[in-house]
Amino acid sequence: MDAGTWFTQLNAWQVMLLGLVFFGGIYLLGGLLMSMLTSGLSRLGIGQVLDTRPLKPDQLGREWRQSFHSILVFGLGMIVPWGFLQLGWAHLTPDASAGRIALEIAVLLIWNDVHFWINHRLLHTRQLVRYHGDHHRSVVTTPWSTYSFHPIEALMLGNIILLPMVVHDFYFWSLASVPVLSLILNLIGHSNYDFFPKVPDTHPLAASRRHHLHHSRPAGNYGFALPFMDQIMGTKVKTAYTRASAAE
């Protein structure tokens, strides 16, 4: 039995339990590994910390609490794509070549950036900014800032695969890769670490610097991992980060 068939044959309770274990597991593992990675690179003198100010006393506790709420939304929310499959609104292809899987993942990652920019920009409008304020309380970000946001924001960001599922029959593992790869890129963005200090802000490898700039100066840099949406929409933060800006 292929994974897609197995998934569709689960009942609703099993899907929600699987979602909670999946999102909770990848978040805990990813956050710990990113913390270890940046700590190790810093000791080796590779790259640099972006903002050296201490965290607020209650920051980590708040981030863990809000991240737990987001995991609930994402995990329980797995019932929605499962429901699309049950209702026949979407279908999974039972088999796919390596080339097709790679192409599907590439398209989904590009869509991830487009989807994130649209929702993130909406969250900075007057009508929705109150739901985004929780996330921006983390000015000096940590890996645990990644899922630290309001449940409304979690609902907006968590529906990324629904539209693609309706317009194309994806391979199960192509869709399953999206939350994993998205989390990895999001952890990098919130790592508070410049892994490649010599590349310009618009370079794909400067994602952590671009998102750090957004937390420092929220009016701009609404993109996810890649810079193309901010470049197209004219929302790129033009002032480069300097270590002195941490004192502003």
Side-chain angles (χ1 to χ4, degrees), residues 4-19:
T5 301
W6 170 80
F7 178 72
T8 56
Q9 290 182 355
L10 297 175
N11 63 44
W13 293 108
Q14 290 171 328
V15 169
M16 290 188 287
L17 178 59
L18 174 65

Side-chain angles (χ1 to χ4, degrees), residues 108-127:
L108 287 169
L109 287 178
I110 293 172
W111 166 242
N112 190 23
D113 261 278
V114 175
H115 177 271
F116 183 87
W117 189 96
I118 293 170
N119 284 277
H120 194 189
R121 185 66 187 89
L122 287 172
L123 285 163
H124 278 270
T125 61
R126 183 182 305 175
Q127 293 79 8

